[in-house]
Amino acid sequence: MVTKEALATFLAAEFPQSKATVEALGKDSATVRHRVGVDELRPGGTVSGPVMMAVADVALYSAILGRIGIVPMAVTTSLSINFLRKPSADADILGVCKLLKVGRTLAVGEVVIYSEGSDEPVAHAVGTYAIPPKRKS
Amino acid sequence: MVTKEALATFLAAEFPQSKATVEALGKDSATVRHRVGVDELRPGGTVSGPVMMAVADVALYSAILGRIGIVPMAVTTSLSINFLRKPSADADILGVCKLLKVGRTLAVGEVVIYSEGSDEPVAHAVGTYAIPPKRKS
Amino acid sequence: MVTKEALATFLAAEFPQSKATVEALGKDSATVRHRVGVDELRPGGTVSGPVMMAVADVALYSAILGRIGIVPMAVTTSLSINFLRKPSADADILGVCKLLKVGRTLAVGEVVIYSEGSDEPVAHAVGTYAIPPKRKS
Amino acid sequence: MVTKEALATFLAAEFPQSKATVEALGKDSATVRHRVGVDELRPGGTVSGPVMMAVADVALYSAILGRIGIVPMAVTTSLSINFLRKPSADADILGVCKLLKVGRTLAVGEVVIYSEGSDEPVAHAVGTYAIPPKRKS
């Protein structure tokens, strides 16, 4: 199956702006980390919403590619996120994705997002991806 | 009411990383623009999903603050986005927000997202914001 | 194209429990009505949430079938609804669907839900449908 | 805390049309059952989408009231559901809710929906509820 290293190489090429990195990859799951520095913070000391959305997106993408193999054309079709608690300014953001369904044309997963070191999620997201049809060779 | 200039000053302080700017502000609406350059693009020439989510977030925030006044503590509680079409690599992203409800504690709005110059939306988002209770003075 | 009558016949067979009826059918839109009686009400005199979700579902389904033709196998893949205001106990519920995208395999639409006689929406929904691949004959 | 019996009595009064019953009630969770009979089925032998949405709604409501006590004025503010697999026509629908956050004014929970006897969810929902401010006595 897809290794963490192969996925990291692919993501670096595909999402050159993303600061999220893959921490772990399971059969139906993936964990990604987003370092939190001054670029991620808002006044008052909290991580901006778009950073958490980006983490959710990369976590879902990683879990799906880990499962179906590296398919460059898989695209996010929807993402729905609830913000639950104020993230810490002093901790990295972790996104833990669990796939709910991987069908022939659609994959669905949920992502629980944490400030590292806390058990209480800061956000919860659900996303869907369209999987391109297999090409005949 | 809130002027475009006052809102721009506030957003620049509140979201220092954001590249989105307010184009127009109405009673129940706001339009924001996100310049598209190399930082926004993915291989294959399309705008990344997190850019569109950030545009939706800022457009909603702008429309709400334009309506209720500049309230720094309003926070996004949820955002739901559907990606509809591939955005153009050569056009700025515009987000047009229309408020659906502004209650005492919760505001809801929708954002239609376009590549400038096209009538067909590239994404559609709905977001909710919690409005902090008025402080007694 | 699909007539209101053909669609009504199809819906009656496909959703025998549904009380929603098609009021209007456009190129990219549909309006459905759900009569409000004692079965739809909750104590305090308001229409129950599941009634509004059912209206959103039927309005989307009607708009999509009105556009692509009567395809029994189209299935809802997601529905997201925000409840905005308390519906009236004395008015029917109307759902007005506008399609946002009709692709080859996925359709997306939004539905604004009203108590008849009021301009302020009681709910707003966005749904996605999977369209089955065309069979070769 | 709230017993299953007290909650059942409340739900029967508050949602007289609902066929869902509470199976279990935990500190942060609730399980509800919806009997599946001819009223829940669509041609082809599957449970209709609105039935699953109603199950999600009641499961969330039960979990929240189980946690905060029976507060008649708590209202659903949003519900987002992804349909994952075709439910069985021969099995009851179970909804298992886990609360993600119970704040002062907002509660968020997720519901995994199953056909009884299967481990693979047929749907996954996330909902938010507005909790009315405490009245001073």
Side-chain angles (χ1 to χ4, degrees):
Chain A
M1 278 306 302
V2 176
T3 63
K4 224 173 72 175
E5 291 68 31
L7 185 60
T9 305
F10 174 73
L11 289 176
E14 197 71 9
F15 298 98
Q17 305 90 358
S18 172
K19 289 167 71 180
T21 54
V22 182
E23 293 273 301
L25 207 52
K27 196 177 77 73
D28 282 319
S29 62
T31 300
V32 305
R33 170 188 300 270
H34 196 298
R35 292 212 178 280
V36 168
V38 69
D39 282 357
E40 283 72 33
L41 296 180
R42 289 183 50 187
T46 187
V47 177
S48 78
V51 168
M52 289 183 274
M53 297 186 237
V55 167
D57 197 31
V58 174
L60 277 156
Y61 201 58
S62 298
I64 292 167
L65 296 191
R67 169 78 171 269
I68 67 171
I70 289 178
V71 177
M73 298 303 296
V75 292
T76 318
T77 49
S78 72
L79 189 78
S80 176
I81 188 164
N82 279 276
F83 299 99
L84 304 172
R85 294 174 184 86
K86 194 178 163 178
S88 167
D90 306 319
D92 286 354
I93 291 288
L94 298 178
V96 182
C97 176
K98 198 178 72 174
L99 296 177
L100 294 164
K101 181 200 175 179
V102 181
R104 217 165 28 84
T105 58
L106 204 67
V108 184
E110 68 172 325
V111 184
V112 189
I113 298 171
Y114 301 92
S115 283
E116 190 172 26
S118 166
D119 279 347
E120 298 211 294
V122 295
H124 178 274
V126 177
T128 60
Y129 277 68
I131 301 170
K134 283 231 175 57
R135 308 226 187 87
K136 289 176 199 117
S137 49
Chain B
M1 278 307 300
V2 175
T3 63
K4 224 174 71 175
E5 291 68 31
L7 184 60
T9 304
F10 173 73
L11 290 177
E14 198 70 9
F15 297 98
Q17 305 90 359
S18 173
K19 289 167 72 180
T21 54
V22 182
E23 292 273 300
L25 206 52
K27 195 176 78 73
D28 282 319
S29 63
T31 301
V32 306
R33 171 188 300 271
H34 197 297
R35 293 212 178 281
V36 168
V38 70
D39 282 357
E40 283 70 34
L41 296 180
R42 290 184 48 189
T46 188
V47 177
S48 78
V51 168
M52 288 183 273
M53 297 186 236
V55 166
D57 197 31
V58 174
L60 276 156
Y61 201 58
S62 298
I64 292 168
L65 296 191
R67 169 78 171 268
I68 68 172
I70 288 177
V71 177
M73 297 304 294
V75 291
T76 318
T77 50
S78 72
L79 189 79
S80 177
I81 188 165
N82 279 275
F83 299 99
L84 303 172
R85 293 174 185 86
K86 194 179 164 179
S88 167
D90 306 320
D92 286 353
I93 290 287
L94 298 178
V96 181
C97 175
K98 197 178 73 174
L99 296 177
L100 293 165
K101 181 201 175 176
V102 180
R104 216 164 31 81
T105 59
L106 204 68
V108 184
E110 68 171 326
V111 184
V112 188
I113 299 171
Y114 300 93
S115 283
E116 190 172 26
S118 166
D119 280 346
E120 298 212 294
V122 295
H124 179 274
V126 177
T128 60
Y129 277 69
I131 300 171
K134 282 231 176 58
R135 308 227 187 86
K136 289 178 197 114
S137 51
Chain C
M1 278 306 302
V2 175
T3 63
K4 226 173 71 176
E5 291 67 31
L7 185 59
T9 304
F10 174 73
L11 289 177
E14 197 72 7
F15 297 99
Q17 305 90 0
S18 172
K19 288 168 71 181
T21 54
V22 182
E23 292 273 300
L25 206 54
K27 195 176 77 71
D28 282 319
S29 62
T31 300
V32 307
R33 170 188 300 271
H34 196 297
R35 292 213 178 279
V36 168
V38 71
D39 282 356
E40 282 72 32
L41 295 181
R42 290 184 48 190
T46 188
V47 177
S48 78
V51 168
M52 289 183 273
M53 297 187 238
V55 166
D57 197 32
V58 174
L60 276 156
Y61 201 58
S62 299
I64 292 167
L65 296 192
R67 170 77 171 269
I68 67 172
I70 288 178
V71 177
M73 298 304 294
V75 292
T76 317
T77 50
S78 72
L79 189 79
S80 176
I81 187 165
N82 279 275
F83 298 99
L84 303 172
R85 293 174 185 86
K86 195 179 164 178
S88 167
D90 306 319
D92 286 354
I93 292 287
L94 298 178
V96 181
C97 175
K98 197 177 72 173
L99 296 177
L100 293 164
K101 180 199 175 177
V102 181
R104 216 166 28 83
T105 59
L106 203 67
V108 184
E110 68 172 325
V111 184
V112 188
I113 299 172
Y114 301 92
S115 283
E116 190 171 28
S118 166
D119 279 346
E120 298 212 294
V122 296
H124 178 273
V126 177
T128 60
Y129 277 69
I131 301 171
K134 283 231 175 57
R135 307 227 187 88
K136 289 177 198 115
S137 49
Chain D
M1 277 308 301
V2 175
T3 62
K4 225 174 70 174
E5 291 68 30
L7 184 60
T9 304
F10 174 73
L11 290 177
E14 198 71 8
F15 298 97
Q17 306 89 0
S18 173
K19 289 168 72 179
T21 54
V22 183
E23 293 272 300
L25 206 53
K27 196 176 77 73
D28 282 318
S29 63
T31 300
V32 306
R33 170 187 300 270
H34 196 298
R35 293 214 178 280
V36 168
V38 70
D39 282 356
E40 282 71 33
L41 295 180
R42 289 182 50 187
T46 188
V47 178
S48 78
V51 168
M52 288 183 274
M53 297 188 237
V55 166
D57 196 32
V58 174
L60 277 157
Y61 201 59
S62 299
I64 292 168
L65 296 191
R67 169 78 170 269
I68 67 172
I70 289 178
V71 177
M73 297 304 294
V75 292
T76 318
T77 50
S78 73
L79 188 79
S80 176
I81 188 165
N82 280 276
F83 298 99
L84 303 171
R85 293 173 186 87
K86 193 178 164 179
S88 167
D90 306 319
D92 286 354
I93 291 288
L94 298 178
V96 182
C97 176
K98 197 177 72 174
L99 296 177
L100 293 165
K101 179 199 176 180
V102 180
R104 216 164 30 82
T105 58
L106 204 66
V108 184
E110 67 172 326
V111 185
V112 189
I113 299 171
Y114 300 92
S115 283
E116 191 171 26
S118 167
D119 280 346
E120 298 211 293
V122 295
H124 178 273
V126 177
T128 60
Y129 277 69
I131 300 171
K134 283 232 175 58
R135 307 224 188 90
K136 291 178 195 111
S137 48

